[in-house]
Amino acid sequence: MAAKRAGDIMIPLNKYPHIPHWFTLRQAVAELEKSVLEINGRSSLPRALLVFDEKYRLLGVVRRRDILSGLEPNFLHHLSVHSERSPLELDVDPNLAEVSSGTLSHTMQKQAEIVISEVMQPIGASVASDDHLVKVIHVMIERDLNLIPVLEDGRVVGVVRSVDVFHEIANILL
């Protein structure tokens, strides 16, 4: 395998979108909507934001699905997404009668004021900038992560995304 290191394929912190923990879901949506990553001549949209505290310490990551979950009306939270039943075997929830476009919009506007620290995911793992690509892959698979912070001297200097790891593997295989 190539001798690439995490630092070789990471996106530097100053180029990856990040927000303070007190931002609202609305502000996080705005940050994701305006962010575009330009990596090696390719453009992509970030799927997550890094979340920092007042002392610029990394607290967590908020993914698009975390934001969507935070915007979801409260009465849907008890429903399991991982049901083994067929999608056609839905129970009728009397609360669904409340869902009209106006009600849903009003609910989401209200939910959008939730602070991001309530829906973010804590950091599950990190790698050092001199860690080999194999270790990055191992950590991603073992922890089921798509984004890993890269550290130098205990400070976050960037992130490695699974799409960038996959691109490196494609360069080896193809």
Side-chain angles (χ1 to χ4, degrees):
M1 182 168 284
K4 292 268 183 161
R5 305 286 173 172
D8 297 330
I9 62 171
M10 75 175 188
I11 300 171
L13 185 57
N14 64 346
K15 295 189 178 197
Y16 197 86
H18 49 283
I19 58 174
H21 68 97
W22 46 264
F23 259 33
T24 63
L25 296 180
R26 180 185 321 280
Q27 291 171 305
V29 167
E31 188 67 28
L32 277 172
E33 281 291 296
K34 75 177 185 183
S35 297
V36 176
L37 300 170
E38 300 289 337
I39 309 297
N40 299 325
R42 297 179 313 166
S43 297
S44 66
L45 300 175
R47 294 181 177 196
L49 298 167
L50 300 174
V51 180
F52 285 86
D53 70 7
E54 294 83 359
K55 295 184 177 179
Y56 210 56
R57 292 179 297 212
L58 182 61
L59 296 176
V61 172
V62 63
R63 306 164 299 177
R64 290 181 191 162
R65 74 178 100 166
D66 301 322
I67 295 170
L68 292 173
S69 177
L71 293 172
E72 189 176 49
N74 287 334
F75 66 83
L76 293 177
H77 286 182
H78 71 281
L79 300 177
S80 172
V81 174
H82 302 289
S83 173
E84 292 183 18
R85 296 185 312 171
S86 162
L88 298 176
E89 298 176 33
L90 294 174
D91 293 332
V92 176
D93 188 324
N95 291 315
L96 290 177
E98 295 179 27
V99 178
S100 67
S101 60
T103 302
L104 185 59
S105 176
H106 175 74
T107 300
M108 291 179 75
Q109 293 287 341
K110 185 177 173 185
Q111 297 285 108
E113 299 309 314
I114 293 173
V115 293
I116 209 68
S117 59
E118 292 184 27
V119 300
M120 73 178 188
Q121 303 296 311
I123 298 301
S126 62
V127 294
S129 65
D130 60 349
D131 281 340
H132 194 277
L133 182 59
V134 171
K135 182 174 180 181
V136 175
I137 293 169
H138 176 74
V139 172
M140 283 184 161
I141 292 169
E142 182 180 74
R143 302 289 181 100
D144 193 25
L145 298 171
N146 290 316
L147 181 79
I148 299 178
V150 178
L151 306 178
E152 281 182 7
D153 301 323
R155 293 185 33 233
V156 179
V157 294
V159 294
V160 174
R161 303 177 308 163
S162 60
V163 67
D164 299 317
V165 170
F166 192 83
H167 183 68
E168 287 304 317
I169 297 303
N171 286 338
I172 294 168
L173 296 177
L174 305 178

